[in-house]
Structure formats: structure tokens, C-alpha cells
Amino acid sequence: MLRLAAASLAGTAIEFYDFFVYGTAAALVLGPLFFPTFSPVAGTLAAFGTFGVGFVARPLGSVLFGHFGDRRGRRPVLVASLLLTGASTVAVGCVPSYGSIGVAAPVLLLVLRFLQGLGLGGEWGGAVLLTAEHAPAGRRGLWSSFPQIGPAVGFLLANSVMLALSATLTDAQFAQWGWRVPFWVAGVLALGGLWLRSSIVESPRFLELDDHARVPLAEVVREHWRLVLLTAGALSVGYAVFYAVTTWSLAYGTERLGVSRTVMLTCIMAAVVVKGSLTPLVALLSDRYGRRPLCLLGCTAAALWMFPMVALLATGAPLLMFVGFLGALLAFVTMFAVVGAYLPELYAPRVRCTGAAVGYNLGGVLGGALTPIVATALAEHGGRVPWGVGAYLTGIALFSLGCFALLPETRPVGAMAAEPVAG
């Protein structure tokens, strides 16, 4: 289990590195380079628009890769998704700017971002299911949390590279070529991930299945549509909170508040370190007290913390911004540390790869794709403290709270409990 969990964590971290490095670049440099004819705010909005395309592609990737995951196995999905995401990320670092090839530059950026999202949409389902379906029932929450640590590791890795480059290069050098380096690094990381995953064995739960769904998506839509919509709505708050902290606040702090890139990245990264470190502990609590209670607690905390978070961000003081980010990410991890076990337990094994991944990635469209765009627009028309952003995030948290309240508990009772299937 430890070897399998480590391989899943490493692969997920690499793929989320690819995804997050684009978000940081969108917040810092992509607007002026690829949309130079726009105003600074409009350029940032356009760059966040290309960022959002990746989220739109993720449910499509979960359908595509989920089909093969339910029909052919979880393991092949991990290899194919990693190859696609890695190759498209390296290619982003090679796209000439608008000044070199004109409108073809943002078009290429959109296409590659779409391919990135397509690959990541297949990654989560394969990595989480392999771990969850190998794990003993009484410790499924703990072992399934390892892939959930991957996003934090990927974020820290992406932003560490960005931070190092930002601190050592001039603004001109960073804008000219420095921002491309993290995208090229993705190629080396992808090769390492493929090597790690070469030793992974297929899920025993998949091998036990005698009757595979012929068209998994059709079965999910026909028999589990309500469950998919509820899980997507429930998870939207996690995406909204995470990308408000890691993407929108980065742009807001550097452009509106005049805080340096280095300070903003350091504050955000410090909060993400704490969040990632606590993920296994929270997941272990879900094995003891249940998945749903923790999700309800995290949603409630998010709803209560969004206004204080934007108020602390607006101070521009590093310590206060860190406290604001930390509170938001603690609410986030209380929910997302457990979804690696919760979502697979909600779906029948024959459609689990498709159902869990589609629900998870649709939540990304609702919460992750729109949040940087909506928050930027709301902050532009607000005062020093972007209260409109706080209201928007609080509204999403209350919506997700209602969705979680309608979902069932799935935690097995005792380590020898039979495989739970709800919905």
C-alpha cells in the first residue's frame, strides 16, 4: 500500500504541477504577452479565460479516460493521462508570444490548455481509484488521501520554480523567457512519473468484475445523474476557495495592492504547506467519524471565513494575508482530504471510474473555472476591500453545503465491512 500510495501521490503531483504552473503564469505574465492590445484588467481576465478552458476540458477528459478505466482498467489511464498532460505543458512553454505570431499565439495557448485539462480529467479518477480499491475498508480514507496530497505538492513545486525565477531574474528577463522554464521542467517530471508508475499493478476490485459496463457514461447518466450533480455541486466550493487563494489573490495582490510577486507567492505557499501536511490526519478522522460530517464541517467553515479572508488580503500585510489564506485552506482540506475515499464509495464499481471522475471534474467547472474571472471582475468594481468576492465565495459555500447535506454517508462500519455502494 505504501509503494502504491507513493506512486499515486507522485504522479498526481506531477500532473497538478503542470496544471498549476499555468495558473501562476496566467496571474503574472500571460495577459501582457498574449493579449497586449487589452487593458491590464482585460488582459488578466483573458488570461484567466484560457485558464478556465482547462477546467471545461476536465469533465471531457474524465468521460474519455473514465470509459477506458471502467472498460480496460485503472492502470492504463494513469500512463495515457500523464503523457498527454506532460506533452501539452512542455508545448505551452514553446508557444511564441502575440508580438511574434499575432492572434495564432492565444489560439495555440487555448488548444494546449484544453489538452492539459483533458489529461488531468483522466488522472484523478485513475490515481484515486487504484489506491482506494487496493486499501482495506477500515483505512480507505487514509490511503486514498495520498493522491489528494498531490495537488499541494504540485502547487508547491510549480510555485517554488516560479518563485526562484522571479527572485533571480529581472522583470524583463522573467517576461521574455523566465516564465517558460517551469513548463519545460514538466517534461522531465513526466518521464519520472512514467517510471514510477511502471510498477503499479491493476486494481483488484476491477479484476474481480465479471460484467463491465458497455458504455459507462450512458449508465452513469441513466442511473446516477442525481448523484453526479450533487457531487459536482458539493465539490464546487473547494475549487472556488482553492483557486481564489492560489490564483485570483496572486493577481489581485500584485496588480491592485502592489505587493511583490515574491511576497505573495511565499504567503500562499506557506498556507499550502500546512494544508498538504494536514491532509492524511483529516482523512484518518474520516475513517473514524465518517466522510459526510467532515465535508459539512469544512463547508460551514468556508462560508464563515470568506469575508474575513478578503479583509485580511486587502491589508497587504504578509502575516495577515497568510492567516487569511490559511483559514480558507483549512476549510478546504477538511472537505477535500476525504473525497478520495468518499466519491469512489458513492458509485458502483462497474461505473466508478467514470462517475467519480465526472462528478469531481464538473465541480471544477462550477468552482474553479469561473472563480478567478468572476472575482477579478467583482474586485475591479469594488473598493479597497473586495467584499463582492467574499459574498460570491460565501454563496458558493452555502450552495455546496446544501449539496453535501443531500449526500449519504459511505464510511464502512468496521474494517471487515463489505464494499459500500450508495446512490
Side-chain angles (χ1 to χ4, degrees):
M1 279 306 310
L2 186 60
R3 184 172 64 251
L4 176 65
S8 294
L9 187 160
T12 307
I14 291 166
E15 293 221 36
F16 274 93
Y17 166 91
D18 297 351
F19 203 73
F20 289 143
V21 79
Y22 189 100
T24 304
L28 297 178
V29 296
L30 295 188
L33 289 176
F34 289 90
F35 305 96
T37 59
F38 293 12
S39 69
V41 172
T44 300
L45 284 169
F48 281 153
T50 63
F51 176 72
V53 166
F55 285 98
V56 175
R58 283 174 63 170
L60 299 176
S62 64
V63 170
L64 174 64
F65 288 103
H67 177 88
F68 292 103
D70 285 322
R71 293 281 298 165
R72 304 296 180 188
R74 324 306 193 197
R75 186 176 180 274
V77 168
L78 296 183
V79 175
S81 62
L82 185 59
L83 280 172
L84 178 58
T85 308
S88 56
T89 304
V90 172
V92 169
C94 300
V95 176
S97 66
Y98 185 94
S100 299
I101 60 174
V103 72
V107 170
L108 284 172
L109 206 61
L110 278 170
V111 171
L112 293 171
R113 179 60 175 173
F114 182 86
L115 293 175
Q116 256 193 336
L118 206 66
L120 190 60
E123 159 66 25
W124 185 87
V128 166
L129 288 192
L130 264 178
T131 310
E133 292 181 340
H134 274 89
R139 283 291 179 265
R140 189 175 295 130
L142 174 62
W143 289 112
S144 299
S145 73
F146 279 78
Q148 293 299 90
I149 303 172
V153 176
F155 177 85
L156 292 170
L157 186 58
N159 285 279
S160 294
V161 177
M162 282 287 191
L163 186 61
L165 291 166
S166 181
T168 56
L169 300 177
T170 65
D171 288 346
Q173 289 173 326
F174 185 80
Q176 185 176 12
W177 59 267
W179 69 272
R180 299 180 183 274
V181 174
F183 291 90
W184 297 335
V185 169
V188 179
L189 294 177
L191 292 175
L194 290 172
W195 176 76
L196 282 171
R197 289 185 165 179
S198 63
S199 61
I200 292 179
V201 296
E202 185 53 79
S203 157
R205 187 61 181 162
F206 175 81
L207 295 175
E208 290 170 4
L209 288 176
D210 296 323
D211 183 25
H212 300 285
R214 186 172 183 179
V215 184
L217 179 63
E219 189 169 322
V220 167
V221 172
R222 184 174 63 252
E223 299 180 14
H224 302 285
W225 63 269
R226 182 177 179 272
L227 188 56
V228 170
L229 294 179
L230 283 176
T231 52
L235 297 179
S236 61
V237 63
Y239 284 100
V241 168
F242 189 83
Y243 288 101
V245 170
T246 60
T247 302
W248 167 73
S249 66
L250 181 59
Y252 181 82
T254 54
E255 295 174 6
R256 288 289 298 276
L257 303 179
V259 181
S260 72
R261 287 194 302 261
T262 302
V263 170
M264 287 302 303
L265 286 171
T266 301
C267 291
I268 295 169
M269 289 169 63
V272 172
V273 167
V274 178
K275 187 270 293 187
S277 302
L278 291 177
T279 299
L281 175 61
V282 176
L284 192 60
L285 292 175
S286 80
D287 281 327
R288 184 176 180 86
Y289 299 108
R291 326 295 189 206
R292 185 171 171 269
L294 288 174
C295 291
L296 292 172
L297 176 63
C299 256
T300 303
L304 295 173
W305 188 250
M306 292 302 97
F307 282 110
M309 185 194 78
V310 297
L312 292 168
L313 169 63
T315 66
L319 180 59
L320 294 180
M321 290 192 297
F322 165 73
V323 171
F325 298 153
L326 179 61
L329 292 183
L330 289 179
F332 166 86
V333 77
T334 305
M335 297 173 279
F336 269 56
V338 308
V339 297
Y342 196 16
L343 263 65
E345 289 173 344
L346 285 168
Y347 291 89
R350 57 186 276 117
V351 295
R352 184 172 284 164
C353 196
T354 300
V358 169
Y360 184 85
N361 288 295
L362 278 178
V365 176
L366 295 174
L370 297 177
T371 292
I373 299 171
V374 173
T376 299
L378 290 173
E380 175 63 15
H381 299 290
R384 168 79 179 185
V385 181
W387 297 119
V389 177
Y392 169 74
L393 294 172
T394 301
I396 294 178
L398 293 174
F399 169 70
S400 294
L401 183 63
C403 292
F404 271 125
L406 294 173
L407 288 172
E409 178 56 72
T410 63
R411 177 177 62 97
V413 180
M416 300 305 292
E419 172 124 16
V421 177

